[in-house]
Amino acid sequence: MSLRLSSRANFVNFATISTIANKDETVTAAIKKLANQGVMTLQPYIPGKPIEELQREMGITDVVKMASNENPLGPSALALKAASDALLRIDRYPDGSGHELKRALAKYLSVSSNQITLGNGSDNVLALITHAFVKPDEEVIISEYAFATFTIITHVANAQPIFAPCKEWKHNLAAMAKLVTDKTKLIFIANPNNPTGTYNTEQELLTLLNNVPPSVIVVVDEAYCEYITQADYPNSLKLLDKFPNLIITRTFSKIYGLAGLRVGYGVSSAEIAEILNRVRLPFNVNSIALAAATAALDDFAHREDSLRVNQYGMEQLTTALKEMRLNYIPSVTNFVTIDVQRNAVQIYHDLLHEGIIVRPLAAYHMPTHIRVTIGLQDQNERFIQALKKVLS
Ligand SMILES: *Cc1c(COP(=O)(O)O)cnc(C)c1O
């Protein structure tokens, strides 16, 4: 009843304002008032520029996109085959439980199916977590320079992001643990982090988990974990038994080369997964994505090749950067963040004219940094030559 009354009141309101002179501005203000408070603190997320957009805007062909940390080898042939087979059955709803993909993931990760939550990209899983657990005015601890999605979904929940300082571009997990109060609901850790490319060790993560109360949910976003070869990187799945408040998220968007299909997953205690499953909309992962991701897990060779191309490219890029005497943040991922020591937005625009799309990091309060995804050898070379040109 009260709901009806209030929507009626809004209706009357619009009817009135539509008759007055300065209609557009008044409508804008009235609509803004309707939105939830946290949402109005946000700016829309600016993604990496699509190749087609640059082609359209500048008439440049032969564009290289190194802006969104996609796999330059593309997806596995097995995934493509599974996707094209699945295309023949798109008249049907997907399997709403994602049974086959969960089964394949459970086997691959040595966990059980009921610990897995599938998402339309791992950012969907991150959003499910805040929807399910974060109440208005609760606190969510996030590192400085952390992945932007954490802050966006915290505001959408009308909760309060609390920012911890970084240490040499790394999440400072000790500082994050110290910020816990009785209002804290959740801690977001990107390991490794985007856009810095840095990681936290198993010891650091363990110390944090041992120091925060079990009433605080710790989310570890491992979008790039497949690229990591460092021995002290956490084996976080092993920690799930001991810490029922831990959630790990991963994605098929990065090393698997399936960013356009939107599929990722969370791994947690069965109890948390059961709650996330209540919030998850029934068909949040489409049938093509389910099929391709399931097949991609089997393609060990594609992952090996992707890793090798990345290691080679990282060496190629960082060697050139050292020669150019440019500082960069040492990265364990498939991208590297470079300090161009001047307005990075300008450098970004100059690189666009050379047909190369990178990511300026002003939105992350890193106004002189650009983030570059490791490409194939010739793409890396084109980037290096273009960067030399625009910096000279
Ligand atoms: C790319 C990325 C993701 C993955 O997002 P999807 O929604 O799975 O495409 C998640 N976290 C971080 C830190 C990332 O860089």
Side-chain angles (χ1 to χ4, degrees), residues 121-123 147 190 194 221 223-224 251 253-254 262:
S122 60
D123 61 4
F147 187 48
N194 169 16
D221 172 351
Y224 302 92
T251 183
S253 299
K254 303 291 157 58
R262 313 302 304 126

